[in-house]
Amino acid sequence: MFMAAILLAGSEIVMADEINPKDTIRTYNIEEIILTSSTKETNDLRKLPGSVTVLSPQQIIGRQIDALKDISSFVPNLYMPDYGAKLTSAIYIRGIGARSSGQSIGMYVDNVPYLDKSTFDFELTDIQRIEVLRGPQGTLYGRNAMGGIVNIYTISPFDFQGKKLSVSAGNYGQVKVKASHYGVINDKFGFTAGVYYDRNSGFFTNEYTGKKADNEQSVGGRIKLEGRFNPNFRMAYTLSADYSDQGAFPYGLYDAASGSVAPVNINDPSSYKRTMVANSLLLEYKTDQILLSSTTGYQYLNDDMQMDQDFSPKSIFTLNQKQKQHAFSEEVAVKSNTDRNYQWSFGLYGFYNSLNTDGPVTFKEDGIKEVLQPVFDQIKENSNNPKMPALKITDKELYIPGNFDTPSFGLALFHQSTYNNLFVDGLSVTAGVRLDYEKQKLGYTGEAKMNMSASFGEMEIPLDSFYGPTVMDVHASQDFWEVLPKVSLKYECSPSTYTYVSVAKGYKTGGYNVQMSADVMQAQMKYDMMSAFSSMIPMELEKPTPVEDVAAYKPEKSWNYELGIRSELIKDRLSTELTAFLMDIQDLQITKFVNSGNGRVLANAGKARSYGVEASLRALLTTGLTADLNYGYTHATFRDYNNGKEDFKGNYVPYTPRHTVSLGLQYTKSLQGKWLDQVYASAQLNGIGKIFWTEYNDIYQDFYLTLNARAGVRKDKINLSVWTKNLTNTTYSAFYFESFGNPFIQLGKPLQVGVEVSLTL
């Protein structure tokens, strides 16, 4: 999309028309707002040789974008499913994404990276704009920017002064309250303070309890202090906090024969609580020759997830995972600040991420009877020895602890150069490279014991005194070095039309799984117990695979080739963008379910290829009426992947929509001399699919459409609007999961409707 707005921090705002700056709904031409500076980009972002979508505040309001998950389909080939809990915030762009253990899409808030996707899902308040850069962005952004980057920028008090208050209420017990103040003390110092509260009573009922399974509430706020002490120096400090408490994982049993999904029916608690605190400090100094910037970030995460992992009314097993994260980052960049043909940028980046994950699993009565005990019953059946005693687990419950320390740190050096008007006017070349180093450590500890007895006819002998507990104390580390180049060639045919071609290397770091502790511990416990009686067992015992081999996964890499054109076909009225891309991927990281059925891991899956097209069109149809059309097509398949049982070559990569489409209309009309000052309305038709849920391509969600709409009136400083989401009440699958071979699906949210009152002072 050529864009309704091109935005980046550190520049002056240029407005198309003289309009009341406090209006929450405004009418602009298609060059709505332009900010053209960046702390490290060497290209003017209006003519960046790459695929960029920017969401302005007006688009965020009109499209009802309250969280990052709401931008799905509005950005071509971007899909962020809304499922499970805020813990599960996977983003997919062009077939690249990850459900567990790390992310393939980077997210930055005010230039500070968020290093764990568990922090991606939060309330979007005081947002100035959202930028989505598609395709590998490793040269300037580094690790885990393989599929793209999402940049979120908050409002500067120098750009808006006043107060905003909004209250929204809807069905399913939805209530949302936001309040913000933006002010300046003088021409050198300003501040922003905002708070929010959001709740709903839940959309899906748990048949076992008769209560909602996914009720949710969150509260948080942000403080931003900004100083512009002279024309050369500015500083911005931001502190934000968010607390969420929600029911989670409302999965229903899926019947493949009928295609139906049963209601949620679980007996054990499933919930997610999360506390997040983020700090950032930006220092920027510029002259007529250079722009020097320093961005320092710190994020704190503390969460608690409870999951009935069999998703049934039986007492089989539960998981209680807790994470605690302290993440620090620092980036120093210097770039040219002249109007010469040659532009350059250099930078140094470093981070340290301390992450501790405690994930104990508890096997309950039904789990011991139906899952663990059959393993030992099978041993007797296979022994062909009538004197072989029957082994019986005597525990009523089996608690299997597992604690993972996975600290990581990294350093990177990067450079990018752009030379404009190379050989001929309008021709430019951009080349960049990043040297990236990362070290990840694993510390896994746990201790558990399964108590057993041996039955000889009617006589039962306790065996637990013959062996001790299984103790796990594993330490390992991995080092990753990577060179990430990128080259782009652009030709500007006219001031409003240009075409480009680019080649870039994509990279997602390797790491360690932390959701397979129960499976690893079970295997080791079985081996330890059987070893104690090896002389009595007429079979060779197989030693478990070392934990460091089971837990580790390798980096994912790709080469991305892109060809695009942007053009403003009719000045201030019609703009378009068309992009074609091809990605060759090696060591694709996909989520696999472990053999025991009680967990999932991230594993490498050979090679894959993703290609497709993206098209965007934005038009000012008539005074006050704008339309935008965004379409993405992705064909992502395995080129070389065999799990040892089946060959998946040619199958589609799971969780990647074949199509994303969005058609939006927004209308505003000022009423001169009338009692009302303005009326406005917007509608957004979104389509996503086909999505295969497994590498077998046997279970899938077909293409589906949802419709969101909003309409309202403004009188002076007051806005009153009516909003709806999923107006067509479309039934669709938002997520697929397996537990012990049983398929489960979470359905998408049904029709929502509500009203909102907002006040701008």
Side-chain angles (χ1 to χ4, degrees):
M1 189 172 86
F2 187 66
M3 292 171 264
I6 303 292
L7 307 164
L8 205 69
S11 296
E12 298 298 322
I13 296 180
V14 180
M15 290 195 177
D17 300 298
E18 291 293 331
I19 298 169
N20 180 359
K22 293 182 180 181
D23 285 356
T24 56
I25 296 292
R26 311 171 190 167
T27 302
Y28 294 93
N29 65 19
I30 58 175
E31 293 287 348
E32 184 178 301
I33 302 174
I34 299 174
L35 289 90
T36 59
S37 179
S38 165
T39 57
K40 53 189 176 181
E41 176 59 60
T42 56
N43 288 278
D44 183 334
L45 291 189
R46 290 171 299 180
K47 299 174 182 179
L48 187 75
S51 302
V52 184
T53 298
V54 178
L55 305 178
S56 69
Q58 290 69 45
Q59 290 172 313
I60 292 172
I61 293 171
R63 276 63 177 176
Q64 303 182 55
I65 298 173
D66 298 316
L68 206 56
K69 292 175 178 177
D70 296 326
I71 70 175
S72 285
S73 78
F74 183 75
V75 178
N77 282 326
L78 185 146
Y79 173 59
M80 190 174 182
D82 185 4
Y83 71 92
K86 290 187 175 182
L87 169 75
T88 50
S89 300
I91 309 179
Y92 300 85
I93 296 179
R94 297 179 173 177
I96 300 295
R99 284 173 43 211
S100 57
S101 300
Q103 72 268 9
S104 303
I105 314 300
M107 187 183 78
Y108 286 69
V109 178
D110 288 334
N111 296 308
V112 175
Y114 278 44
L115 299 180
D116 192 296
K117 67 177 184 300
S118 297
T119 63
F120 281 15
D121 190 2
F122 56 89
E123 188 76 21
L124 294 177
T125 60
D126 304 322
I127 303 303
Q128 190 181 63
R129 75 275 192 190
I130 301 172
E131 305 170 353
V132 182
L133 285 69
R134 303 187 296 279
Q137 305 297 325
T139 300
L140 295 180
Y141 294 94
R143 68 191 299 270
N144 297 347
M146 183 173 174
I149 286 290
V150 177
N151 284 322
I152 298 173
Y153 294 95
T154 58
I155 293 174
S156 167
F158 288 99
D159 294 335
F160 175 83
Q161 294 89 48
K163 297 177 177 62
K164 293 183 179 182
L165 173 66
S166 66
V167 178
S168 177
N171 58 341
Y172 297 100
Q174 296 180 87
V175 175
K176 188 188 299 264
V177 181
K178 296 182 181 181
S180 300
H181 173 78
Y182 313 85
V184 292
I185 297 175
N186 50 46
D187 61 351
K188 295 182 179 179
F189 191 79
F191 68 96
T192 299
V195 295
Y196 61 84
Y197 173 74
D198 189 6
R199 72 171 295 275
N200 67 70
S201 58
F203 300 89
F204 304 101
T205 300
N206 181 2
E207 280 197 338
Y208 190 89
T209 63
K211 300 178 180 179
K212 293 293 185 179
D214 59 333
N215 59 303
E216 176 184 345
Q217 62 178 343
S218 61
V219 61
R222 177 183 291 110
I223 296 173
K224 185 172 185 176
L225 309 176
E226 186 170 348
R228 296 183 178 180
F229 303 109
N230 59 57
N232 301 102
F233 178 66
R234 78 179 183 102
M235 177 198 74
Y237 170 74
T238 304
L239 170 65
S240 62
D242 176 273
Y243 174 75
S244 298
D245 183 359
Q246 62 180 140
F249 314 109
Y251 303 156
L253 188 64
Y254 173 68
D255 185 338
S258 63
S260 62
V261 179
V264 181
N265 192 7
I266 57 176
N267 66 314
D268 287 307
S270 286
S271 63
Y272 183 62
K273 297 179 181 180
R274 184 191 67 187
T275 299
M276 294 194 317
V277 179
N279 293 262
S280 67
L281 176 65
L282 170 67
L283 303 174
E284 186 177 282
Y285 177 77
K286 67 179 179 179
T287 69
D288 56 0
Q289 296 293 317
I290 66 166
L291 174 66
L292 176 65
S293 64
S294 168
T295 307
T296 306
Y298 166 71
Q299 294 98 34
Y300 170 75
L301 165 72
N302 192 334
D303 68 4
D304 185 349
M305 176 190 74
Q306 296 188 77
M307 180 189 290
D308 182 342
Q309 204 161 352
D310 55 271
F311 307 108
S312 75
K314 291 186 176 182
S315 295
I316 297 180
F317 77 123
T318 61
L319 170 66
N320 183 198
Q321 176 182 286
K322 298 179 181 180
Q323 296 183 112
K324 184 174 289 186
Q325 179 194 48
H326 298 276
F328 304 86
S329 65
E330 172 65 35
E331 182 173 85
V332 178
V334 59
K335 57 168 283 187
S336 56
N337 187 38
T338 67
D339 57 0
R340 299 169 186 162
N341 281 334
Y342 177 59
Q343 300 292 320
W344 51 265
S345 174
F346 291 90
L348 173 65
Y349 170 78
F351 79 93
Y352 174 73
N353 186 23
S354 172
L355 179 62
N356 181 271
T357 306
D358 194 44
V361 168
T362 301
F363 278 86
K364 298 194 169 185
E365 184 178 356
D366 292 328
I368 291 175
K369 183 188 304 180
E370 299 179 13
V371 179
L372 301 182
Q373 183 60 50
V375 174
F376 296 97
D377 294 341
Q378 193 68 35
I379 293 174
K380 178 174 174 59
E381 293 178 11
N382 294 338
S383 68
N384 296 319
N385 182 0
K387 296 182 179 180
M388 174 77 178
L391 301 175
K392 181 182 178 183
I393 302 172
T394 58
D395 295 296
K396 297 297 183 183
E397 286 189 351
L398 181 61
Y399 179 77
I400 303 178
N403 185 275
F404 290 86
D405 255 325
T406 52
S408 60
F409 62 88
L411 291 169
L413 286 168
F414 61 87
H415 166 68
Q416 181 170 289
S417 288
T418 295
Y419 197 94
N420 296 306
N421 300 315
L422 178 67
F423 304 129
V424 296
D425 289 346
L427 180 65
S428 66
V429 61
T430 297
V433 65
R434 187 184 189 99
L435 176 61
D436 198 279
Y437 167 74
E438 182 168 341
K439 187 177 189 69
Q440 294 202 6
K441 295 183 178 181
L442 167 68
Y444 168 48
T445 58
E447 181 176 326
K449 184 177 181 179
M450 182 185 295
N451 296 305
M452 304 195 70
S453 66
S455 298
F456 297 89
E458 297 182 357
M459 182 174 62
E460 190 168 304
I461 302 174
L463 300 177
D464 49 276
S465 61
F466 292 93
Y467 57 91
T470 293
V471 178
M472 305 293 289
D473 189 5
V474 178
H475 297 273
S477 65
Q478 301 182 81
D479 294 270
F480 306 107
W481 287 92
E482 197 63 40
V483 177
L484 300 171
K486 182 175 183 177
V487 178
S488 300
L489 193 65
K490 180 182 70 175
Y491 180 64
E492 191 173 337
C493 313
S494 70
S496 61
T497 300
Y498 71 92
T499 185
Y500 68 90
V501 60
S502 69
V503 179
K505 187 175 183 180
Y507 171 68
K508 179 190 174 186
T509 184
Y512 293 102
N513 288 288
V514 297
Q515 294 181 322
M516 31 53 75
S517 58
D519 200 57
V520 168
M521 180 66 85
Q522 280 179 248
Q524 189 64 46
M525 288 170 64
K526 176 184 174 183
Y527 177 79
D528 290 348
M529 287 185 294
M530 303 306 287
S531 296
F533 305 100
S534 57
S535 60
M536 303 170 55
I537 301 175
M539 57 188 299
E540 184 177 352
L541 299 179
E542 182 178 352
K543 194 170 184 178
T545 305
V547 175
E548 52 267 38
D549 294 340
V550 176
Y553 55 89
K554 298 185 295 183
E556 179 179 339
K557 303 176 185 179
S558 72
W559 281 100
N560 182 81
Y561 309 91
E562 187 170 318
L563 175 66
I565 183 171
R566 292 186 196 161
S567 180
E568 188 178 8
L569 300 177
I570 303 176
K571 184 174 176 55
D572 296 334
R573 298 195 70 90
L574 180 63
S575 61
T576 185
E577 176 184 359
L578 181 63
T579 305
F581 67 89
L582 169 66
M583 301 182 74
D584 278 323
I585 308 164
Q586 294 184 342
D587 296 318
L588 177 69
Q589 296 173 2
I590 67 167
T591 299
K592 296 173 59 178
F593 297 99
V594 297
N595 294 331
S596 66
N598 59 12
R600 62 189 190 275
V601 296
L602 204 63
N604 297 99
K607 300 177 182 179
R609 175 171 290 161
S610 176
Y611 64 84
V613 296
E614 295 161 352
S616 295
L617 187 72
R618 180 164 172 81
L620 179 61
L621 301 178
T622 186
T623 302
L625 179 61
T626 60
D628 54 76
L629 174 65
N630 299 281
Y631 172 73
Y633 169 76
T634 297
H635 187 275
T637 56
F638 295 109
R639 286 197 300 134
D640 179 16
Y641 175 38
N642 191 312
N643 65 359
K645 298 179 181 178
E646 292 198 36
D647 187 357
F648 298 103
K649 182 177 181 180
N651 285 15
Y652 288 96
V653 176
Y655 296 91
T656 299
R658 190 97 54 87
H659 306 272
T660 63
V661 63
S662 172
L663 174 61
L665 293 172
Q666 185 162 331
Y667 177 72
T668 63
K669 182 174 179 59
S670 296
L671 304 174
Q672 302 293 336
K674 304 294 184 180
W675 182 75
L676 293 174
D677 294 330
Q678 191 181 65
V679 295
Y680 54 87
S682 62
Q684 193 76 29
L685 183 66
N686 300 315
I688 294 176
K690 185 176 191 178
I691 306 171
F692 289 101
W693 296 122
T694 72
E695 56 265 38
Y696 294 92
N697 289 182
D698 54 344
I699 300 176
Y700 55 87
Q701 167 62 54
D702 269 323
F703 181 84
Y704 63 93
L705 292 168
T706 58
L707 177 63
N708 300 336
R710 179 187 179 96
V713 296
R714 179 176 65 82
K715 173 64 177 176
D716 194 20
K717 301 171 183 178
I718 300 176
N719 273 279
L720 175 64
S721 62
V722 178
W723 57 265
T724 66
K725 294 185 177 182
N726 194 6
L727 182 59
T728 54
N729 202 24
T730 301
T731 299
Y732 62 94
S733 301
F735 179 66
Y736 173 85
F737 190 84
E738 290 181 6
S739 180
F740 296 110
N742 294 318
F744 294 89
I745 278 179
Q746 178 177 333
L747 295 175
K749 292 177 181 177
L751 167 67
Q752 302 168 59
V753 61
V755 297
E756 179 180 286
V757 179
S758 63
L759 177 66
T760 304
L761 301 174

